[in-house]
Amino acid sequence: MTTFVDISVPLRSGITSDPPGLRPEIEYLDHNDTVADMLAMFPGAGPEVLPDGEGWALEWIRLTTHCGTHLDAPYHYASTMDNGQRAITIDEVPLEWCFQPGVKLDFRALPDGYVATPDDVDAELARIGHTLSPLEIVIINTSAGTRYGEDDYLTRGCGMGRDATLHLLRQGIRVTGTDAWSWDAPFGYTARRFAETGDGSIIWEGHKAGRDIGYCHLEKLHNLEALPATGFRISCFPHKIHAASAGWTRAVAIIED
C-alpha cells in the first residue's frame, strides 16, 4: 500500500507566514462575482442562460516565489555556485534532485535560534541508524513546524549553519528542507549575534554555503511529525518559473508499505 503525506503548508493570506511586506494576498471571487466577466465573452447573453446563474470561481494572488512551501534555487543565495560558476535558476534545477528518498532529522529539541553543527547532524544520523547516500533529500523537523501561521512562527526553530550545510552537501546531498521559515536560524537571533560580534559571515550562512556547492532547499514544510526517519520518498518538483530564484511546490512524502 502507498501512503501519501502532504508536507506542504496551505497558502493563506492574513496569517503570520512571512515577515510584513512579504506575505501573500489572496482575493477570492465566487460564482456570483464573475457573472459579468463570463457574459462579456458571449454577446447578447444574460445571467438567465447560465446554469444556476453562476459564473466561475477564481482567485487573484499577489505573492513572491518564496511564499508558501517552495524550493529555493542556488540563484537565490548568490549569483555564483560551485566556487564561481553561474548559479542555476529554478527552471534549471535537475528534476532528478526533486524525487528522491527522504531522511528526516528530528531537531525539535534544539532551542529556537540555535545554529546546528555537523556534530548535531552526525549525532542524529547515528540515533536513527542511517548513512547518507548522494541525492537523498534531508529534511529538518524543528519546533517551528507546528507554529505555521501563529504569531511566533518567524522566531521559532533552529537553523542550519554553514558547516552543517556543507557537511551534508559534501556527502552528495543536493536538496534539503525545513519546516521553519528559513533554512538559517531566525533572523532576530542572528541579528543579536551580529551586534555582539560584528561578524558578517554569520548572516545567512546556511544559504550562502551554496556559493561553495550549489544546492536547493525547501522552506515552510509541514507535518513532518507524521514521517518516520527514513523509508519514504519526497516529491518536490518546483513550478517552472523562467530565470527565477524559487518555485512553489506541493511537497509530498510517499511511503511504500
Side-chain angles (χ1 to χ4, degrees), residues 160-196:
M160 297 296 287
R162 170 183 169 82
D163 291 342
T165 303
L166 288 175
H167 185 54
L168 294 172
L169 302 184
R170 287 170 180 147
Q171 296 179 72
I173 305 304
R174 289 298 176 268
V175 174
T176 64
T178 178
D179 53 11
W181 180 73
S182 174
W183 179 247
D184 278 86
F187 282 175
Y189 292 94
T190 306
R192 285 196 286 274
R193 288 194 292 268
F194 174 72
E196 294 167 357

Side-chain angles (χ1 to χ4, degrees), residues 9 16-17 105-114 140-159 177-186 189 219-225:
V9 295
T16 307
S17 59
L105 306 184
D106 190 345
F107 284 171
R108 286 176 292 176
L110 296 179
D112 297 335
Y114 179 81
I140 310 300
N141 193 176
T142 78
S143 63
T146 59
R147 303 303 298 169
Y148 176 72
E150 302 296 334
D151 289 344
D152 61 347
Y153 175 64
L154 301 178
T155 63
R156 293 295 298 272
C158 66
T178 178
D179 53 11
W181 180 73
S182 174
W183 179 247
D184 278 86
Y189 292 94
E219 290 175 326
K220 294 201 278 285
L221 292 169
H222 188 60
N223 200 29
L224 300 188
E225 297 79 12

Side-chain angles (χ1 to χ4, degrees), residues 83-99:
N83 294 309
Q85 300 298 310
R86 181 184 69 84
I88 59 174
T89 53
I90 199 65
D91 50 329
E92 298 172 318
V93 170
L95 294 181
E96 60 267 26
W97 287 10
C98 305
F99 186 65

Side-chain angles (χ1 to χ4, degrees), residues 12-250:
R12 293 180 57 187
S13 56
I15 63 172
T16 307
S17 59
D18 297 277
L22 295 176
R23 296 172 186 171
E25 300 171 4
I26 307 175
E27 178 187 0
Y28 292 87
L29 302 180
D30 67 19
H31 306 89
N32 295 317
D33 295 326
T34 61
V35 168
D37 294 332
M38 178 173 278
L39 292 177
M41 300 184 183
F42 301 94
E48 69 280 358
V49 307
L50 300 176
D52 298 324
E54 294 184 340
W56 44 55
L58 58 82
E59 296 74 42
W60 283 102
I61 301 179
R62 183 180 186 274
L63 74 170
T64 77
T65 51
H66 300 267
C67 290
T69 304
H70 62 277
L71 186 71
D72 283 339
Y75 178 68
H76 178 50
Y77 322 139
S79 60
T80 61
M81 63 183 243
D82 298 341
N83 294 309
Q85 300 298 310
R86 181 184 69 84
I88 59 174
T89 53
I90 199 65
D91 50 329
E92 298 172 318
V93 170
L95 294 181
E96 60 267 26
W97 287 10
C98 305
F99 186 65
Q100 294 290 339
V103 178
K104 184 185 78 171
L105 306 184
D106 190 345
F107 284 171
R108 286 176 292 176
L110 296 179
D112 297 335
Y114 179 81
V115 179
T117 69
D119 287 344
D120 295 316
V121 171
D122 288 343
E124 178 63 2
L125 288 171
R127 186 188 72 81
I128 65 176
H130 184 75
T131 299
L132 292 177
S133 296
L135 294 187
E136 286 182 323
I137 297 175
V138 176
I139 55 176
I140 310 300
N141 193 176
T142 78
S143 63
T146 59
R147 303 303 298 169
Y148 176 72
E150 302 296 334
D151 289 344
D152 61 347
Y153 175 64
L154 301 178
T155 63
R156 293 295 298 272
C158 66
M160 297 296 287
R162 170 183 169 82
D163 291 342
T165 303
L166 288 175
H167 185 54
L168 294 172
L169 302 184
R170 287 170 180 147
Q171 296 179 72
I173 305 304
R174 289 298 176 268
V175 174
T176 64
T178 178
D179 53 11
W181 180 73
S182 174
W183 179 247
D184 278 86
F187 282 175
Y189 292 94
T190 306
R192 285 196 286 274
R193 288 194 292 268
F194 174 72
E196 294 167 357
T197 66
D199 181 5
S201 70
I202 67 173
I203 298 175
W204 230 33
E205 61 176 288
H207 282 71
K208 289 292 187 180
R211 296 166 67 225
D212 292 19
I213 303 175
Y215 80 108
C216 296
H217 62 235
L218 296 152
E219 290 175 326
K220 294 201 278 285
L221 292 169
H222 188 60
N223 200 29
L224 300 188
E225 297 79 12
L227 298 181
T230 58
F232 60 94
R233 295 178 72 86
I234 291 178
S235 172
C236 58
F237 297 105
H239 199 86
K240 193 175 183 179
I241 306 170
H242 175 67
S245 63
W248 313 287
T249 179
R250 181 69 176 268

